[in-house]
Amino acid sequence: MVLLASTTQTALILQGGGALGAYEAGVFKVLYDRLYETGKPLFDIVAGTSIGAINAAILVSHVIKNGNSWKNADKALLDFWQRLASPTPLSGAYGEFWFGEAGEDTILQKSLSQEDWKMYIRPQTQS
């Protein structure tokens, strides 16, 4: 019987559940602050379901774009959620909706001309 040297791998598994994704971003920030060491991989495996898969994709994309470095991965994920959470009013035939800035980059906007898109935006008024 041949025994191979075991290699320990660390995995980050993120679950689905809509708003849970923002919570995961906060938890990831704490993990990053406590575990990240320059030049070392933070996690060997990153996976998720639903919104967790989106968070995982943001993290892995950041790592790949930065030469397999986890440096500032926390900021990449938090930036996504900050952008998604900032209020942008959208009103139209189906009522009024609030999207983050990301709502401005939706398929709806891309499918409409710039003039048509403007009719869906309710200007904010100052008091």
Side-chain angles (χ1 to χ4, degrees):
M1 174 190 238
V2 176
L3 296 175
L4 300 175
S6 68
T7 316
T8 302
Q9 292 186 319
T10 307
L12 176 65
I13 311 298
L14 303 166
Q15 72 181 56
L20 183 62
Y23 172 80
E24 290 172 345
V27 171
F28 178 78
K29 170 72 172 139
V30 172
L31 290 172
Y32 180 88
D33 289 344
R34 293 184 182 197
L35 301 176
Y36 176 69
E37 295 178 35
T38 303
K40 294 185 178 180
L42 188 56
F43 295 99
D44 302 300
I45 301 166
V46 181
T49 299
S50 191
I51 195 64
I54 293 171
N55 282 343
I58 291 166
L59 291 171
V60 171
S61 175
H62 174 83
V63 170
I64 290 170
K65 286 180 184 176
N66 289 286
N68 290 329
S69 171
W70 283 86
K71 185 176 182 180
N72 295 323
D74 60 329
K75 290 179 179 52
L77 189 56
L78 291 172
D79 286 350
F80 168 78
W81 282 100
Q82 183 64 39
R83 188 168 185 246
L84 192 66
S86 63
T88 301
L90 178 67
S91 60
Y94 300 106
E96 186 172 289
F97 302 94
W98 286 86
F99 292 103
E101 290 175 21
E104 296 176 3
D105 297 327
T106 63
I107 293 171
L108 173 63
Q109 181 185 10
K110 291 175 183 174
S111 66
L112 297 173
S113 71
Q114 194 168 16
E115 286 302 312
D116 289 340
W117 174 246
K118 287 179 183 176
M119 74 179 191
Y120 286 93
I121 300 296
R122 179 179 54 97
Q124 292 180 339
T125 57
Q126 295 182 351
S127 326

